[in-house]
Amino acid sequence: MSKIAIVTGASRGLGRNTALSIARRGGDVILTYQRRADEAAAVVAEIEAMGRKAIALQLDSGDVAGFGPFAARVRQALREGWQRETFDHLVNNAGHGDYALIDQTTEAQFDSLVNVHFKGVFFLTQALLPLLADGGRIVNVSSGLTRVSYPGYAAYAAVKGAVEVLSVYMAKEFGVRGIAVNSVAPGAIETDFGGGAVRDDAELNRAFAAMTALGRVGLPDDIGPMIASLLSEDNRWVNAQRIEVSGGQAI
């Protein structure tokens, strides 16, 4: 029986690459998107072209009130598409970048980052936990910026740091059900995340490349396959870890 993964924010960027990487390893995917249904449908089509099953469900990862109805849609999708009551893997990836120096950060920016990257991860996992199979796995996407600092990323890095602590507590509490939980911390990646800053700003790209041992910034293909591998039985004994995937950034 194939494994089923939920990947949030999988219509683009790292989420998209992760969903496709899971499918390439033989998994099925329930992916979420916030606004771009067309992009999500394209990812579903790519996965189906591999001979795997996939569906896309709309989700605002910062709206806790919507998590209960979302869990109900997941339950229905599992019954109708897979004749199952549970899924196997949860990848909490959805997020956005909102960067500003500390003295210029607004409360609205701060609250948005907390709601999506921390509060959303906490309560979405809580809502989906009854549907997550015993022996399943959770990956929470963090950031290399929890280990090293870069001006303008304080609020973003702080909420990602909270997710890393949360991941350890999840591993402790969910271990009784055989559920392993880890956080994956990418370094600077060329995507449209944060307005495509690392991808499109040549100066920023060079700055991060210069501080990386392998001499470049990352690509989605550097991250998605690693997450898919972490979900596999090959890594069943990896638990409660922060795994940085940065090419050796700032070492």
Side-chain angles (χ1 to χ4, degrees):
M1 183 170 58
S2 63
K3 300 291 187 180
I4 304 169
I6 294 179
V7 183
T8 65
S11 63
R12 60 185 179 86
L14 297 186
R16 173 183 177 276
N17 194 283
T18 297
L20 294 174
S21 296
I22 289 169
R24 290 188 188 104
R25 294 178 68 98
D28 296 338
V29 185
I30 298 173
L31 60 100
T32 80
Y33 66 95
Q34 184 174 7
R35 286 184 288 268
R36 294 301 301 271
D38 56 335
E39 293 183 350
V43 179
V44 169
E46 287 188 69
I47 292 172
E48 290 177 339
M50 301 179 200
R52 306 311 315 162
K53 290 184 180 180
I55 64 167
L57 299 177
Q58 196 279 332
L59 175 69
D60 181 347
S61 296
D63 179 16
V64 174
F67 294 169
F70 174 75
R73 296 200 304 276
V74 169
R75 185 186 299 274
Q76 180 180 0
L78 289 169
R79 289 172 175 171
E80 294 178 355
W82 287 271
Q83 294 74 54
R84 285 182 54 178
E85 296 292 326
T86 61
F87 68 98
D88 303 285
H89 304 142
L90 173 61
V91 181
N92 284 306
N93 163 80
H96 67 292
D98 204 348
Y99 311 130
L101 296 174
I102 292 172
D103 63 356
Q104 298 171 8
T105 300
T106 67
E107 185 177 3
Q109 288 174 313
F110 185 91
D111 287 347
S112 178
L113 289 167
V114 170
N115 289 342
V116 172
H117 292 275
F118 180 50
K119 187 177 179 180
V121 171
F122 188 107
F123 286 104
L124 180 61
T125 302
Q126 181 189 77
L128 293 175
L129 197 57
L131 302 178
L132 181 61
D134 289 353
R137 300 186 71 85
I138 298 172
V139 171
N140 296 321
V141 177
S142 181
S143 170
L145 290 164
T146 62
R147 181 178 61 83
V148 297
S149 60
Y150 198 87
Y153 292 80
Y156 173 78
V159 294
K160 286 301 192 181
V163 165
E164 291 180 5
V165 174
L166 175 62
S167 298
V168 174
Y169 275 80
M170 284 181 174
K172 184 70 170 180
E173 293 190 18
F174 303 163
V176 67
R177 292 180 50 194
I179 296 170
V181 186
N182 295 285
S183 57
V184 168
I189 305 291
E190 288 187 2
T191 69
D192 60 358
F193 187 81
V198 173
R199 181 193 62 200
D200 302 333
D201 185 328
E203 183 177 349
L204 186 64
N205 190 295
R206 284 192 296 270
F208 278 116
M211 67 174 71
T212 302
L214 293 180
R216 64 171 175 84
V217 299
L219 302 171
D221 276 338
D222 296 318
I223 310 300
M226 181 272 163
I227 294 175
S229 174
L230 186 59
L231 296 173
S232 75
E233 282 299 300
D234 293 342
N235 288 294
R236 64 184 178 274
W237 204 236
V238 180
N239 192 26
Q241 302 302 305
R242 176 196 185 271
I243 303 169
E244 184 166 318
V245 192
S246 68
Q249 185 173 298
I251 57 173

